[in-house]
Amino acid sequence: MRRAPLALASLAVVAALVLSGCTSTGNETADKGGQEQAAGGGGAGDNQSGIATGQEGFQNVRELTSQLGTDAEPGEFPRTIKNITANETIGETEIPAKPARVVVLDSGELDNMIALGIEPIAYAHSESMTSMPDYLDVGDAVDLGSYDALDLEQLKNLEPDLIIGTSLRIDDDGLKAKLQDIAPTVLAVRPGVTWKENFSLFAAAVGEEEKAAEILADYEEHVAEVGADVVEANGGEAPSISMLRFMAGRIRLYANDSFIGVILQDAGLKRPEMEDIDELAAEISPEEVTLAAGDWLFWGTYGEPDSTDQASVVDGPLWGEIPAVKNGGVVEQISDDIWYLGLGTLGAELVLDQLDEFADAAK
C-alpha cells in the first residue's frame, strides 16, 4: 500500500565477533565528525573489534535521552527544556518566548524544523560536507560551515533566539557554554539512533510538540504499512535486510543503533546476524563483503565513489557470492543522502517510500 510522505500529508549476540576491519572512527550516531562522514574525529578510541561503537561517554544514549524534554503545557512559553548542557550532563535551558530565529547545527535538525514548517535562519554541517542532503531545501538560510569551526561572532550577529544540535557534534563543553551565551541552546545527546526522540525534543523547544506527535503517529502508521508490504513481497515472511555502505577507507554494515536500523526495526523487518547488534555498524574489509548476509541487500556510497572501494567490490568476484545477489533477492543501490544522512522524519518518510517501491517491484 502506497501513501503520501508523512511530512507532506500531515506536517504531523554478535558484539564479540571480530572482523579484520579497521578501528572505528567518524560517523552518524557513532562519531561527531559528520553526518555519516568518512573522515573526521570523535571515534571510539582503541576499539579493534570491527564494531563501530559510540564516541567516548555516549554509550548510555537511551537513558540520557529519556530524561530530556519539558513539563510545559503545549505551546506555553516561557518554558524550561531539559537537555544536554555538558557531555553526559543534563541541565536546563530557559526559552522565554516561541522562537522565530532558529539555527540548526546538523542535517537532522534541519529536517526536523522543515517538517514542523519552520525555516531556520542558518545551519552548520560536517567539515566533509559541502552542502546539506539534496532532499532538504535550505532556502535563504546562512551556511555557517563546519560545526567544528563555528564563527561565533557571525552566529551572534544573526541574532538567533534558539540554537539546536547534539552534544555529539558540539562535544566541547566550552563551546556549549559559548552557544548558550549567544542564545538559548538545546542539545540532544546524539543523532541517529534516537532520531524520533530528538524530533520530539526540538519540537518542544519551538512549542510544536502537538504537531510533532501527529507527524510521528503518521510515521508509525506508514512504517507498519510498508513493513507489511515488504513481507508480502517476500512471500509472506519478513526478509532479513542488509545495509551496506561504502565510505573512504572503510566499508560498513549498518546495525540496529542507527537511523536506518531504527526504521527497519519499526517496520518489523529482520537483520542478519552480523547486523543484528546494538551498535551503529560493523566494519568489514572488501574481502568480507559476503558477510552482508541479508535476504535483501541495500547498498550506498558516501561521497565520491572513486574515494571508496565501491567499484572494486561491486565489480569484483565476491559480489556475486553475497547471498542476496547469489540467490536472486532484492538488491538495490540507494541514495546515501536519504538512507544514511536523513536523520529526521522527512528522511525517514522518503526511506519508506523508496522501500515500498522496492517491495512493489519485487511482487
Side-chain angles (χ1 to χ4, degrees):
M1 177 179 179
R2 301 298 307 283
R3 67 195 294 278
L6 164 159
L8 298 181
S10 67
L11 277 183
V13 117
V14 194
L17 285 173
V18 178
L19 311 178
S20 62
C22 60
T23 302
S24 166
T25 58
N27 223 330
E28 181 204 274
T29 57
D31 340 66
K32 86 184 186 70
Q35 255 93 354
E36 299 245 41
Q37 77 169 45
D46 294 328
N47 169 43
Q48 297 289 336
S49 67
I51 301 298
T53 59
Q55 182 180 348
E56 187 71 24
F58 286 86
Q59 283 74 15
N60 56 346
V61 55
R62 289 187 175 88
E63 179 185 351
L64 284 171
T65 298
S66 69
Q67 301 175 59
L68 308 183
T70 185
D71 295 329
E73 293 296 319
E76 177 187 48
F77 286 91
R79 59 177 47 196
T80 300
I81 305 290
K82 290 183 179 179
N83 70 108
I84 303 300
T85 53
N87 286 341
E88 286 202 289
T89 301
I90 297 173
E92 296 184 343
T93 297
E94 300 294 329
I95 303 179
K98 183 175 176 61
R101 298 181 60 79
V102 181
V103 170
V104 298
L105 299 180
D106 204 356
S107 65
E109 291 81 84
L110 178 60
D111 180 306
N112 291 169
M113 291 299 102
I114 294 174
L116 293 170
I118 295 170
E119 296 183 9
I121 62 168
Y123 62 93
H125 48 76
S126 73
E127 184 179 3
S128 65
M129 295 179 68
T130 57
S131 64
M132 284 296 192
D134 288 342
Y135 78 93
L136 294 173
D137 183 0
V138 300
D140 296 325
V142 175
D143 183 351
L144 298 172
S146 169
Y147 44 67
D148 284 324
L150 289 171
D151 184 333
L152 297 183
E153 193 63 29
Q154 178 191 24
L155 181 55
K156 181 178 180 180
N157 289 339
L158 290 171
E159 299 182 344
D161 51 19
L162 178 68
I163 300 169
I164 59 174
T166 63
S167 184
L168 191 77
R169 301 297 195 231
I170 311 300
D171 70 340
D172 179 82
D173 286 346
L175 179 55
K176 288 182 175 69
K178 290 176 182 177
L179 293 176
Q180 289 282 8
D181 288 340
I182 293 173
T185 299
V186 172
L187 299 179
V189 182
R190 65 195 298 172
V193 61
T194 55
W195 65 268
K196 290 184 288 186
E197 293 87 346
N198 293 358
F199 180 49
S200 296
L201 175 66
F202 299 136
V206 295
E208 296 291 349
E209 51 267 65
E210 291 182 322
K211 185 179 288 186
E214 293 175 4
I215 290 174
L216 289 175
D218 280 358
Y219 161 80
E220 296 296 344
E221 179 183 349
H222 192 189
V223 75
E225 292 174 354
V226 172
D229 283 350
V230 171
V231 169
E232 180 184 353
N234 198 55
E237 181 179 350
S240 58
I241 309 292
S242 273
M243 296 301 310
L244 177 67
R245 193 185 196 203
F246 297 101
M247 307 168 70
R250 68 185 56 144
I251 302 172
R252 281 181 167 176
L253 296 173
Y254 273 71
N256 295 331
D257 281 4
S258 65
F259 170 71
I260 188 59
V262 170
I263 294 173
L264 295 176
Q265 285 182 312
D266 289 345
L269 303 177
K270 297 184 293 186
R271 308 301 307 281
E273 185 179 36
M274 181 65 70
E275 298 162 66
D276 191 19
I277 55 176
D278 293 331
E279 299 288 355
L280 170 69
E283 296 195 349
I284 62 174
S285 69
E287 295 73 30
E288 295 171 319
V289 70
T290 56
L291 292 173
D295 301 315
W296 292 18
L297 170 68
F298 299 123
W299 65 275
T301 303
Y302 178 82
E304 293 297 326
D306 289 348
S307 70
T308 75
D309 290 316
Q310 176 193 309
S312 61
V313 172
V314 175
D315 297 331
L318 292 179
W319 188 257
E321 298 302 313
I322 295 175
V325 179
K326 186 175 184 178
N327 299 328
V330 173
V331 178
E332 297 283 354
Q333 183 176 5
I334 55 174
S335 166
D336 198 84
D337 269 6
I338 294 170
W339 289 63
Y340 292 116
L341 296 182
L343 302 181
T345 58
L346 297 178
E349 279 297 326
L350 290 173
V351 168
L352 292 177
D353 286 341
Q354 293 178 7
L355 180 56
D356 212 17
E357 290 175 1
F358 298 148
D360 286 348
K363 291 179 180 177

